[in-house]
Amino acid sequence: MSMLNHHGHRLGSMQTLPAPMRKYADRETVDYCIVGAGSAGGVLAQRLARAGFRIVALEAGPFWDTEKDWVSDERGSHELYWNDLRITGGKDPLALGANNSGKGVGGGSVHWAAFAPRFHPSDFRVYSEDSVGADWPISYWDLKPYYELLEQEIPVAGPAWFPWGDPHGYPYGPHPLGGVGDVLVRGCAKLGLRSVAGGPVAILSASHGDRPHCIYRGFCIQGCKVGAKASTLITHVPDAIDHGAEIRALSMAARISLHDDGRVDGVLYIDRDGNEHFQRARAVIVSGYAIETPRLLLNSACSGHRHGLANSSGTLGQYLMAQAGNVVAGRFDELIRLYKAPPAHALSEEFYETDKRRDFARGFAIQTVGPLPAAFAKQMMNAMGAWGWGLRRVMMDMNHWATIGVLGEILPWEDNRVELAEEKDQYGLRVAKVTFNLHDNDKKLIEFGKKRVMEVMWAAGAEQVVQESRYAHLVGAARMGSDPATSVVDKFGRTHDIPNLFVCDGSILPTQGSANPGLTIQALAARTADYLIKQGDAIFFSNRRDQCEPGIRYDLSPPYTNFKGNPRVA
Amino acid sequence: MKQKSYPLRPTGGEIRDLAQPGYYSGFSTLAQKKKWDETTRQVVTERVEKVPPLRFFSSGEAELLTAIVSRVIPQDDRAADRMIPVHPAIDERLFKNELNGFRYEDMPPDREAYRLGLKAIDEMAQKRFHEPFVSLTVHRQELILKSLHDGKPDPAHRIWQRMPVHRFWTLLAEDCVTAYYSHPWAWDEIGFGGPAYPRGYMRLENGLPEPWEVDEQRYDWNAPVDSLSELDEQGAPPEQVLPQAHGSSS
Ligand SMILES: Cc1cc2nc3c(=O)[nH]c(=O)nc-3n(C[C@H](O)[C@H](O)[C@H](O)COP(=O)(O)OP(=O)(O)OC[C@H]3O[C@@H](n4cnc5c(N)ncnc54)[C@H](O)[C@@H]3O)c2cc1C
Ligand code: SF4
């Protein structure tokens, strides 16, 4: 074991990377090899390391030094995204890239807007209640203690009273309102809709340990140099390293290796110089995002698993979901200056649940969005068909516009999927092909949602309202379920087919509600970690599948994070 | 509630050679650069001071691309020494083969898409006006480009059977606006505060300017009278297949 020194490597404006970081030699066998140090992977590594397991997390992207690598600049932030080739198709092809997932330690939590609402209890019972989609193998109440825990750990700022779903409050106070949030709140109030302002967002409204509070500069999606916005890079990875985990950056997992005994024994990966290595592990957890996770499992096909690892059900890659993310833009006489304050800062969930009077199941949320100039120009191109002089003119008016988004639930459909394309990437690995089609329920929901949000915009006093169709937040594609014939993993993320192979990230979600998925993904990761810790060595030697709840551990949080309260109805 | 669309603009001044178009005269983001963090300062300053050389396109292609880009994001109102480099940014992206993370299954790779698109545009000009695109009047150039924007190439060209015209248009136009609106001179034009770390913002509500920002000073201006790219009075999006965009979301 050698030691790596990271002196002066900054994580936000006050924190530095703990040094030294443990480094495992190539031939050492670790307990868990985690693929992807993103939203889920970061939390898992931290929990498992604290419990004493030997952990290596392979991360395809770099280990960000926030001061040297990140900028307060849209174009200069291109490298935060997964820019490698993916093919997109279907009747309603999804734009991927910057609209999609991250690459580098922290994964998508580096560029997320940090909206952190919980799912509603109904989200876990969509099939039972609406005869569409699927039920989860767990209920909201199984996840609730983990929501509360993560809301303290990352932590979440928001109103004292969040009235929807299972009503609750937030440990940190709400943020002051920017111009766009003001428009949302005004418009909703005019229409008699409830809204909340200043959260819930995983952005600090007061300093916390070695992280300062938000300075309202609006560059959240470009990575928060301040360290006010939560990313696992600054919330969980430092504690993971303190407890002996190795986060091995610039290491692209190429395939998971299956031993003759039907158990996985390690991960083949490619380093920054193109050299192949093999990391031996007693168990493997894939946390690579809803596209790269199924891609890796498909690319790991071998004899006995011709159609990909853990794919005996044939559902690996299927039931991929995106949320409808239509952006409604309104022009106001007065100045708004939409670039100030975090893009995520006010929302309404009045239309979240199924309403039998409508002709579709499930619903949508209404949320602020805050595009910076290049993103806003693209939105105006799409929403107004602006180009040339027209585009120059409308852009000169940027400070008069406010943007509010629909966040609509799209149901899981078999034909929305991730497969392998013929093309290969720079590592010689077949790239993912994503197919996406809207179905009848989705189209009706989007039409309805779009109209409601446009009404909010008019009600707020806009003199012109336009909208652009887009999608956000991919999840699904390796869903959890109790039936091995129709799902890939069980309720703890363990693949039905291979006892020491797990999936833990957004890909295990059976449905997605109309809440942003990040908090739920991290809460699920903490729950899976509790299960693995409770199981102990049994995971490494036994094929027995224990389905008992592990019980939540309150002693595994990063330092200074578990002394705030979670307001709730007793 | 008046559901009026894009405000009618009375006849105003002509476009001139302006050091800074837009309604924020006297505002300069670069003047604030001492307040920015080191990395951001470097990245933004370099964008202004070091225009990348042309390495991907041939000189003929580059000339054609420049003519196209000058209509997609026109800068005729800008003084010669305040023009924002757009085609060099596209050339650099293609030279480095910097991907945006995906490709539509019905599209060729970006490099090939640009070569095909340029070829189609030039041949359309030849067929319709019997001259290369670069020699056409601005109005005729706009006629060709507007037909692509509207998704109805006029004249038709076989390349648009292989490559969906709305996807090519989005690729081209998004690259153009990304280059233009990533430049600090464009930030000054639209009154965007620019980088703000470590200082941050203090005035969040009511569209108030920070002490170092300036208030809006509106004036009327006209695009060239025969321009086809001005928004029409209703502000209604011209009929076209609206593709789905990428960029930020929440
Ligand atoms: C612009 C934008 C804004 C968003 N805003 C919000 C928001 O406000 N709220 C919210 O809840 N969600 C938001 N999201 C979504 C959120 O970021 C994702 O849902 C979340 O990060 C997904 O978590 P994950 O663990 O599944 O994957 P990720 O966080 O993406 O982590 C996957 C990691 O695995 C790595 N990886 C993948 N394959 C390999 C491999 N083969 N080898 C090694 N490493 C690999 C990747 O590099 C990455 O670091 C936003 C997303 C975008 C694009
Ligand atoms: S607005 Fe706040 S959270 Fe967002 S990047 Fe700026 S300081 Fe960070």
Side-chain angles (χ1 to χ4, degrees), chain A residues 15 68 88 95-96 102 124 133 135 169 176 214 250 292 345 385 477 524 566:
Chain A
Q15 204 178 161
K68 291 203 194 95
T88 185
L96 303 173
F124 298 76
D135 281 352
C214 177
L250 298 169
E292 294 308 311
H345 71 281
L524 284 169
N566 299 87

Side-chain angles (χ1 to χ4, degrees), chain A residues 67 72-73 86 88 93 216 225 337 339-340 382 385 388-390 392-393 397 399-400 423 463 468 473, chain B residues 4 37 39-40 47 72 74 77 103 105 149 189 191 208 210 213 216 218 221 229-230 244-245 250:
Chain A
E67 198 61 29
S72 286
D73 178 61
R86 287 161 171 168
T88 185
Y216 305 105
K225 282 190 85 129
R337 294 194 188 256
Y339 56 88
K340 294 189 189 184
N382 292 298
W389 290 109
R392 289 280 311 284
R393 190 184 288 286
D397 270 351
N399 285 345
H400 285 273
E423 281 96 330
E463 52 176 41
E468 181 213 13
H473 308 155
Chain B
K4 192 180 69 173
D37 66 277
T39 321
T40 303
R47 191 171 301 151
V72 176
D77 53 343
R103 196 181 86 222
E105 63 179 337
H149 164 273
E189 172 184 328
L208 283 176
E210 303 295 323
E213 293 179 323
E216 189 188 43
R218 292 188 80 84
W221 57 273
S229 67
E230 185 62 293
Q244 178 217 339
S250 50

Side-chain angles (χ1 to χ4, degrees), chain A residues 133-155:
Chain A
D135 281 352
W136 291 45
I138 59 172
S139 78
Y140 170 83
W141 311 105
D142 292 319
L143 208 53
K144 174 171 177 168
Y146 291 97
Y147 276 139
E148 294 186 333
L149 196 59
L150 266 296
E151 282 166 1
Q152 294 185 25
E153 289 184 13
I154 56 181

Side-chain angles (χ1 to χ4, degrees), chain B residues 109-135:
Chain B
D110 291 355
R111 288 176 161 185
E112 201 183 324
Y114 265 97
R115 289 235 148 90
L116 286 170
L118 290 187
K119 184 167 149 57
I121 289 170
D122 212 29
E123 289 176 8
M124 287 166 73
Q126 281 289 358
K127 190 160 165 212
R128 185 157 168 190
F129 301 113
H130 314 290
E131 269 183 294
F133 186 87
V134 293
S135 317

Side-chain angles (χ1 to χ4, degrees), chain A residues 72 112-114 175 201-204 211-230 339-344, chain B residues 196-197 200-201:
Chain A
S72 286
W112 70 333
H175 290 271
V201 285
I203 296 175
L204 290 172
R211 292 173 52 202
H213 60 72
C214 177
I215 61 170
Y216 305 105
R217 61 198 258 280
F219 280 93
C220 304
I221 289 171
Q222 286 66 36
C224 180
K225 282 190 85 129
V226 177
K229 188 190 73 171
Y339 56 88
K340 294 189 189 184
Chain B
Y197 168 76
Y201 293 127

